[in-house]
Amino acid sequence: MDADRRHWEKRLQAIATELISEPDRIEAAYKVKAVRVEPVGVIYLWPISG
């Protein structure tokens, strides 16, 4: 019983820390890392008639 209590006390403390750090970590994962985009070629799309 004491081991369970200690486990959950540690887990609750970890959750409090994660609430602070996780949003920044997730936002960093979605940041665009490309600085410059260069064209590779030109594509012409013709309208379909008929």
Side-chain angles (χ1 to χ4, degrees):
M1 187 90 131
D2 287 335
D4 288 338
R5 177 176 284 163
R6 285 192 306 264
H7 167 77
W8 284 109
E9 287 174 356
K10 287 180 185 178
R11 183 63 193 127
L12 289 173
Q13 288 174 352
I15 288 172
T17 304
E18 290 170 8
L19 285 172
I20 295 168
S21 65
E22 283 298 300
D24 292 335
R25 187 186 69 78
I26 292 169
E27 183 180 346
Y30 281 97
K31 285 189 179 176
V32 177
K33 293 180 174 67
V35 177
R36 186 172 103 184
V37 177
E38 296 184 24
V40 177
V42 178
I43 298 173
Y44 293 100
L45 300 176
W46 297 95
I48 298 175
S49 60

